[in-house]
Every structure is written in structure tokens, then in C-alpha cells.
């Protein structure tokens, strides 16, 4: 089985709705022995989009892609050679194989890719009884997978995906079959715009902290929408707030990551972290520091005007 993961640059600033692949990472898994037996990694020099999306700008190995010798056609051929005819592919979610197919069709390359694949995210959600699609990072934290690698590296994410999926029985993995994505439509402008996990841009960090979207997150267990009221800045550069789902009561922490792009604009990405004793102790210590409010106080003048009108 081939577990594949990609990193790409979304075409947010052009009419061409194509996610340009910047890195292909994959591992070969022996399902009988339940272990990784080989790996593949290729950084790909971008040649289509002139601007990076906020998520692509923050990729830890973006410079390796920019300075890479391989273009996509060469990397794609090498990847298929490495697969060696193994037609059982697996991904975390349904995006990666779809993006690979779109890039293959855009470059008009020959090369057979499977029409179906195993969705490891679907299999894991069924295994733990979760009604919401867990992000790979959240699933790894749920399984207490050691934080040995930086996220958003395609090879490392492929390894992490299997480290999580390895806990799922093989029979359940083989039931999580999905159809591969559609080829790039004619004209190459018909793909729908994908929602980004990053909210923004904002003109300041304070506006990012007070934004309702950045303070909002879906519960990973029941998908209920929840908002937090204050932030605490930790030494790791992230902002944290106590999270308690009003739907199912799941306790956790909401972590907000703020990214400043090259133009001085700010973007926010929030995620729920399941609460364990280590995180509880971490937040209790953090809560002793001054809290950062998430709402701006209205001026007395505005309040008086509203009172007079009413």
C-alpha cells in the first residue's frame, strides 16, 4: 500500500483553479506486517503560480521547493517508478490524490493512477466513533504520536498518517474506499474555490485576535460551533484559550496561530486540541499571565447615543 501526502500552492490569486504541487511524499506499507518498508520524497520547483497562498508561504521547506532541480513531470515519473505498480493508494482525506490527478492532467502526462483509494481519515473517524473529520495533526495528538517531525512536510505527514492509521484494524481500513477525484475540467478554470483554513487578511495582530472567525472552532467530536472569550500568549508563539463544547461538553484548548505575510498582512488559523493532563497543567500555568481580551470595549459616547435613540 502507498500512503501519499502532498504540499501545494493554491491558485488563490489567478483564474486557474489549480493546486500546484510543491512536494510529493509517500511511504510503502506492508499491510501484513503493519510496517513501513520504503519511502519517497521529492521537492518540486514551482512554475505555474507567481504568488503563494498564505498556507504555502508558511511551509517549512518552501525554500527547498524553490531551489529544487525537479519539475513536476520529472518528479511524477520518478514517483510512479518508485510505486512499482502498487495500485493500492491511501491518503488522509480526499485532497491529495485529487491534486495529483489535476497536476498530471494539467501537464498532459501519461501515467496510471488508481480510480479508488483508501481514506485513512474516514477509517480513523469510524474507528474512534467521531462524527467530524479530524485533521491529521489532531488525530496524531489524540493517539499521542510523538511530536518528532514538523507538520506540513509531505514525507513526514505521510509517516504520521500511517502512524495514526496503524491503530485501525486492516479490515476497517479496507472498507474506507473512495472514488478518486475528477480530472481538471476543460479550460482549467472550472474548479471551485476551496475554503482556506486561514482567516484574513487583517491589518494588525489585534484585529486577528478579536476576529469572530479566529475565535470560533468546530468541536472535533460533534462539530458544534464554539467561540472563546480571551487569549493567552505562550512562549511557543501561539495563543491559547480554554475550550469547552456547549454541545457535547468536550474539554480542550483552542490554539490560534497568527502568520504575517511578506506584505505585512496578518492571517489566523485556529484549531481545537483535546485536553489531557499535560495540556491542563500547561494552561493553568499560562492562565496566570495577563489575558488578552477578544472584544473591543465600546466608547461611552456610542453607548450614550444608543441610549438616547432607544
Amino acid at each position: 500500500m502507498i500512503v501519499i501526502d502532498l504540499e501545494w500552492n493554491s491558485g488563490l490569486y489567478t483564474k486557474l483553479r489549480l493546486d500546484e504541487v510543491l512536494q510529493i511524499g509517500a511511504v510503502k506499507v506492508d499491510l501484513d506486517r503493519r510496517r513501513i518498508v520504503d519511502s519517497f520524497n521529492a521537492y518540486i520547483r514551482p512554475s505555474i503560480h507567481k504568488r503563494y497562498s498564505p498556507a504555502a508561504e508558511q511551509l517549512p521547506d518552501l525554500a527547498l521547493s524553490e531551489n529544487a532541480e525537479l519539475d513536476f513531470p520529472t518528479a511524477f515519473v520518478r514517483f510512479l517508478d518508485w510505486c512499482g505498480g502498487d495500485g493500492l493508494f491511501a491518503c488522509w482525506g480526499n485532497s491529495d490524490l485529487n491534486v495529483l490527478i489535476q497536476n498530471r492532467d494539467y501537464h498532459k502526462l501519461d501515467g496510471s493512477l488508481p480510480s479508488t483509494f483508501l481514506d485513512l481519515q474516514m477509517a480513523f473517524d469510524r474507528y474512534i466513533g467521531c462524527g467530524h473529520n479530524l485533521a491529521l495533526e489532531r488525530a496524531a495528538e489524540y493517539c499521542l504520536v510523538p511530536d518528532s517531525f514538523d507538520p506540513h512536510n509531505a514525507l513526514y505527514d505521510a509517516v504520521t498518517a500511517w502512524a495514526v492509521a496503524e491503530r485501525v484494524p486492516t479490515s476497517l481500513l479496507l472498507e474506507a474506499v473512495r472514488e478518486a477525484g475528477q480530472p481538471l475540467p476543460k479550460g482549467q478554470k472550472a474548479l471551485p474555490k476551496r475554503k482556506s483554513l486561514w482567516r484574513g487578511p487583517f491589518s494588525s495582530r489585534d484585529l486577528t485576535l478579536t476576529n469572530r472567525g479566529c475565535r470560533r472552532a468546530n468541536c472535533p467530536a460533534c462539530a458544534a460551533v464554539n467561540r472563546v472569550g480571551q487569549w493567552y500568549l505562550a512562549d511557543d508563539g501561539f495563543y491559547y484559550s480554554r475550550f469547552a463544547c456547549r454541545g457535547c461538553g468536550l474539554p480542550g484548548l483552542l490554539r490560534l496561530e497568527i502568520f504575517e505575510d511578506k506584505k505585512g498582512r496578518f492571517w489566523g488559523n485556529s484549531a481545537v486540541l483535546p485536553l489531557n493532563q499535560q495540556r491542563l497543567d500547561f494552561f493553568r500555568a499560562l492562565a496566570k499571565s495577563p489575558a488578552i481580551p477578544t472584544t473591543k470595549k465600546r466608547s461611552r459616547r456610542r453607548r450614550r447615543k444608543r441610549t438616547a435613540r432607544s
Side-chain angles (χ1 to χ4, degrees), residues 275-298:
L275 196 63
N276 54 28
Q277 189 60 46
Q278 182 180 2
R279 292 199 181 106
L280 180 60
D281 295 340
F282 163 79
F283 185 77
R284 284 174 176 171
L286 185 62
K288 296 178 181 179
S289 59
I292 302 172
T294 60
T295 55
K296 294 184 177 180
K297 294 183 179 180
R298 292 183 297 175

Short mmCIF file of all heavy atoms in Angstrom, two decimals, residues 275-298:
data_model
loop_
_atom_site.label_atom_id
_atom_site.label_comp_id
_atom_site.label_asym_id
_atom_site.label_seq_id
_atom_site.Cartn_x
_atom_site.Cartn_y
_atom_site.Cartn_z
N LEU A 275 -8.07 17.88 25.40
CA LEU A 275 -7.45 18.17 26.70
C LEU A 275 -6.98 16.89 27.37
O LEU A 275 -7.73 15.92 27.47
CB LEU A 275 -8.45 18.90 27.60
CG LEU A 275 -7.87 19.61 28.83
CD1 LEU A 275 -6.93 20.72 28.42
CD2 LEU A 275 -8.99 20.16 29.70
N ASN A 276 -5.71 16.90 27.79
CA ASN A 276 -5.19 15.85 28.65
C ASN A 276 -4.53 16.52 29.85
O ASN A 276 -4.52 17.75 29.96
CB ASN A 276 -4.20 14.94 27.90
CG ASN A 276 -3.08 15.73 27.23
OD1 ASN A 276 -2.70 16.81 27.69
ND2 ASN A 276 -2.55 15.20 26.14
N GLN A 277 -4.00 15.74 30.74
CA GLN A 277 -3.46 16.31 31.97
C GLN A 277 -2.29 17.24 31.68
O GLN A 277 -2.14 18.29 32.32
CB GLN A 277 -3.01 15.19 32.92
CG GLN A 277 -2.62 15.68 34.30
CD GLN A 277 -3.74 16.40 35.02
OE1 GLN A 277 -4.86 15.91 35.04
NE2 GLN A 277 -3.45 17.55 35.61
N GLN A 278 -1.44 16.89 30.71
CA GLN A 278 -0.30 17.72 30.38
C GLN A 278 -0.75 19.08 29.86
O GLN A 278 -0.21 20.11 30.26
CB GLN A 278 0.56 17.01 29.33
CG GLN A 278 1.81 17.80 28.94
CD GLN A 278 2.64 17.06 27.90
OE1 GLN A 278 2.26 15.98 27.45
NE2 GLN A 278 3.76 17.64 27.53
N ARG A 279 -1.75 19.10 28.98
CA ARG A 279 -2.24 20.37 28.45
C ARG A 279 -2.99 21.17 29.52
O ARG A 279 -2.95 22.39 29.52
CB ARG A 279 -3.14 20.12 27.24
CG ARG A 279 -2.39 19.59 26.03
CD ARG A 279 -3.19 19.81 24.76
NE ARG A 279 -2.47 19.27 23.62
CZ ARG A 279 -2.78 18.16 22.98
NH1 ARG A 279 -3.81 17.44 23.39
NH2 ARG A 279 -2.08 17.74 21.95
N LEU A 280 -3.66 20.45 30.42
CA LEU A 280 -4.36 21.15 31.50
C LEU A 280 -3.37 21.86 32.41
O LEU A 280 -3.57 23.03 32.78
CB LEU A 280 -5.20 20.16 32.30
CG LEU A 280 -6.00 20.74 33.47
CD1 LEU A 280 -6.97 21.80 32.99
CD2 LEU A 280 -6.74 19.63 34.21
N ASP A 281 -2.28 21.19 32.76
CA ASP A 281 -1.25 21.82 33.58
C ASP A 281 -0.60 22.99 32.83
O ASP A 281 -0.31 24.04 33.43
CB ASP A 281 -0.18 20.79 33.95
CG ASP A 281 -0.73 19.69 34.85
OD1 ASP A 281 -1.78 19.91 35.48
OD2 ASP A 281 -0.10 18.61 34.91
N PHE A 282 -0.39 22.80 31.53
CA PHE A 282 0.18 23.87 30.71
C PHE A 282 -0.71 25.11 30.73
O PHE A 282 -0.24 26.24 30.92
CB PHE A 282 0.37 23.37 29.27
CG PHE A 282 0.55 24.45 28.25
CD1 PHE A 282 1.78 25.09 28.09
CD2 PHE A 282 -0.50 24.83 27.43
CE1 PHE A 282 1.94 26.08 27.14
CE2 PHE A 282 -0.35 25.82 26.48
CZ PHE A 282 0.88 26.45 26.33
N PHE A 283 -2.02 24.91 30.57
CA PHE A 283 -2.92 26.06 30.50
C PHE A 283 -3.09 26.71 31.87
O PHE A 283 -3.19 27.94 31.97
CB PHE A 283 -4.28 25.64 29.95
CG PHE A 283 -5.21 26.80 29.74
CD1 PHE A 283 -5.04 27.65 28.65
CD2 PHE A 283 -6.22 27.06 30.64
CE1 PHE A 283 -5.87 28.73 28.46
CE2 PHE A 283 -7.07 28.15 30.45
CZ PHE A 283 -6.89 28.99 29.35
N ARG A 284 -3.10 25.93 32.94
CA ARG A 284 -3.22 26.52 34.28
C ARG A 284 -2.05 27.45 34.57
O ARG A 284 -2.23 28.52 35.15
CB ARG A 284 -3.30 25.41 35.32
CG ARG A 284 -4.65 24.71 35.37
CD ARG A 284 -4.61 23.52 36.31
NE ARG A 284 -5.93 22.90 36.45
CZ ARG A 284 -6.16 21.76 37.07
NH1 ARG A 284 -5.15 21.10 37.65
NH2 ARG A 284 -7.39 21.28 37.15
N ALA A 285 -0.85 27.03 34.14
CA ALA A 285 0.32 27.90 34.33
C ALA A 285 0.23 29.12 33.42
O ALA A 285 0.58 30.23 33.83
CB ALA A 285 1.60 27.11 34.05
N LEU A 286 -0.25 28.91 32.20
CA LEU A 286 -0.36 30.01 31.25
C LEU A 286 -1.39 31.03 31.69
O LEU A 286 -1.22 32.25 31.48
CB LEU A 286 -0.72 29.46 29.88
CG LEU A 286 -0.77 30.44 28.70
CD1 LEU A 286 0.61 31.07 28.49
CD2 LEU A 286 -1.24 29.73 27.45
N ALA A 287 -2.48 30.58 32.31
CA ALA A 287 -3.56 31.46 32.72
C ALA A 287 -3.17 32.42 33.83
O ALA A 287 -3.91 33.36 34.13
CB ALA A 287 -4.77 30.64 33.15
N LYS A 288 -2.00 32.20 34.43
CA LYS A 288 -1.52 33.14 35.46
C LYS A 288 -0.98 34.42 34.84
O LYS A 288 -0.79 35.41 35.52
CB LYS A 288 -0.44 32.47 36.31
CG LYS A 288 -0.95 31.27 37.10
CD LYS A 288 0.16 30.62 37.89
CE LYS A 288 -0.34 29.41 38.67
NZ LYS A 288 0.75 28.75 39.44
N SER A 289 -0.72 34.39 33.52
CA SER A 289 -0.24 35.58 32.82
C SER A 289 -1.45 36.43 32.41
O SER A 289 -2.59 35.95 32.40
CB SER A 289 0.56 35.17 31.58
OG SER A 289 -0.22 34.39 30.71
N PRO A 290 -1.22 37.70 32.07
CA PRO A 290 -2.35 38.57 31.70
C PRO A 290 -3.09 38.04 30.48
O PRO A 290 -2.50 37.59 29.51
CB PRO A 290 -1.66 39.91 31.40
CG PRO A 290 -0.36 39.85 32.13
CD PRO A 290 0.06 38.42 32.10
N ALA A 291 -4.42 38.09 30.56
CA ALA A 291 -5.25 37.65 29.45
C ALA A 291 -5.35 38.74 28.39
O ALA A 291 -5.29 39.93 28.69
CB ALA A 291 -6.64 37.27 29.94
N ILE A 292 -5.49 38.32 27.15
CA ILE A 292 -5.68 39.24 26.04
C ILE A 292 -7.14 39.20 25.65
O ILE A 292 -7.65 38.17 25.18
CB ILE A 292 -4.81 38.84 24.83
CG1 ILE A 292 -3.34 38.79 25.25
CG2 ILE A 292 -5.01 39.79 23.67
CD1 ILE A 292 -2.44 38.22 24.19
N PRO A 293 -7.90 40.30 25.85
CA PRO A 293 -9.33 40.27 25.53
C PRO A 293 -9.56 40.11 24.03
O PRO A 293 -8.73 40.49 23.21
CB PRO A 293 -9.83 41.63 26.03
CG PRO A 293 -8.62 42.52 26.00
CD PRO A 293 -7.46 41.61 26.32
N THR A 294 -10.71 39.56 23.69
CA THR A 294 -11.02 39.33 22.28
C THR A 294 -12.14 40.22 21.76
O THR A 294 -12.59 40.06 20.64
CB THR A 294 -11.45 37.86 22.06
OG1 THR A 294 -12.61 37.60 22.85
CG2 THR A 294 -10.35 36.92 22.47
N THR A 295 -12.60 41.14 22.59
CA THR A 295 -13.61 42.10 22.13
C THR A 295 -13.16 43.49 22.52
O THR A 295 -12.50 43.68 23.54
CB THR A 295 -14.98 41.82 22.76
OG1 THR A 295 -14.85 41.80 24.20
CG2 THR A 295 -15.51 40.47 22.30
N LYS A 296 -13.51 44.44 21.70
CA LYS A 296 -13.17 45.83 21.98
C LYS A 296 -14.31 46.51 22.73
O LYS A 296 -15.48 46.34 22.39
CB LYS A 296 -12.89 46.57 20.68
CG LYS A 296 -11.65 46.07 19.95
CD LYS A 296 -11.40 46.92 18.73
CE LYS A 296 -10.11 46.47 18.02
NZ LYS A 296 -9.83 47.28 16.82
N LYS A 297 -13.95 47.28 23.75
CA LYS A 297 -14.95 48.00 24.51
C LYS A 297 -15.50 49.16 23.69
O LYS A 297 -14.75 49.90 23.06
CB LYS A 297 -14.35 48.53 25.82
CG LYS A 297 -13.92 47.43 26.79
CD LYS A 297 -13.40 48.03 28.06
CE LYS A 297 -13.00 46.94 29.06
NZ LYS A 297 -12.48 47.51 30.31
N ARG A 298 -16.82 49.29 23.71
CA ARG A 298 -17.43 50.41 23.01
C ARG A 298 -17.22 51.69 23.80
O ARG A 298 -17.20 51.70 25.03
CB ARG A 298 -18.93 50.15 22.82
CG ARG A 298 -19.23 49.01 21.87
CD ARG A 298 -20.71 48.84 21.67
NE ARG A 298 -21.37 48.49 22.94
CZ ARG A 298 -22.69 48.37 23.08
NH1 ARG A 298 -23.48 48.61 22.06
NH2 ARG A 298 -23.20 48.04 24.24
#
